[in-house]
Amino acid sequence: MRIIRNATELDTDDIKKIYECALYGIEGIVERYFKFEEYVEFCLKHKFSYVAIDDDVVCGVLLAYEVPDLMFGKILYIELLAVFPEYQKRGIGTELLNILRMDAGNAGYQEITLRTCCYMNAYEFYKKYGFKDTKTDRRYMSFMLK
């Protein structure tokens, strides 16, 4: 049974493992980022961070936070969306985005943004979900909630 819930500080070690495996495939790379725990803590304070649990394993994470925007007043920025490779293509990333989308809409946000690279698999995933390019270099994407 799959559960999506708000992430807590107790999830930091699991978030670290997902980050390392899903984005780099190298265990221990986060040790080079001496402020990783602060990075996670910052995102958790904004209440738009989630973990996915499948087969009793924390296998996915989404960290997002509010940023001010002159046009929309406030938007959410996805800092990290990652799923363990062996759990990918099971709908977990989509479920994490769906929860964020619902919570953001209920909280009055107008837009969700992120940064990715057009040559990465994630770019196609976001595009299929409905994110649109916002820059000519196709690194910044946004999803309008209203």
Side-chain angles (χ1 to χ4, degrees), residues 25-144:
I26 304 169
E27 191 171 335
I29 195 165
V30 170
E31 300 309 319
R32 296 180 187 169
Y33 307 136
F34 63 97
K35 302 247 181 187
F36 188 81
E37 286 79 11
E38 288 179 32
Y39 156 80
V40 172
E41 184 181 323
F42 170 80
C43 292
L44 293 178
K45 286 180 186 177
H46 289 266
K47 309 296 183 203
F48 290 99
S49 296
Y50 312 90
V51 290
I53 302 164
D54 202 356
D55 302 326
D56 294 323
V57 173
V58 177
C59 59
V61 60
L62 188 154
L63 302 177
Y65 55 86
E66 180 183 318
V67 294
D69 183 271
L70 290 173
M71 185 180 291
F72 295 110
K74 61 181 185 175
I75 60 174
L76 284 179
Y77 179 77
I78 296 176
E79 179 67 37
L80 173 66
L81 173 57
V83 176
F84 276 137
E86 61 269 26
Y87 286 87
Q88 292 176 4
K89 306 224 187 286
R90 295 186 190 182
I92 295 169
T94 300
E95 285 186 43
L96 287 163
L97 283 174
N98 288 342
I99 293 288
L100 176 65
R101 182 179 174 183
M102 183 183 67
D103 288 352
N106 290 339
Y109 288 86
Q110 304 272 328
E111 182 179 16
I112 300 171
T113 65
L114 57 87
R115 181 178 176 180
T116 191
C117 295
C118 61
Y119 58 84
M120 297 181 73
N121 293 338
Y123 177 82
E124 292 302 323
F125 167 77
Y126 292 124
K127 201 162 179 126
K128 182 178 175 187
Y129 189 85
F131 281 82
K132 307 280 186 225
D133 293 326
T134 60
K135 303 280 185 193
T136 57
D137 63 8
R138 301 187 338 171
R139 290 185 298 166
Y140 294 94
M141 302 181 86
S142 67
F143 184 91
M144 300 305 294

Side-chain angles (χ1 to χ4, degrees), residues 5 7-19 30 36-41 44 51 58 61:
R5 65 164 171 76
T8 70
E9 287 184 23
L10 298 175
D11 296 311
T12 302
D13 286 341
D14 289 319
I15 292 169
K16 184 186 295 187
K17 289 175 192 168
I18 295 166
Y19 181 88
V30 170
F36 188 81
E37 286 79 11
E38 288 179 32
Y39 156 80
V40 172
E41 184 181 323
L44 293 178
V51 290
V58 177
V61 60

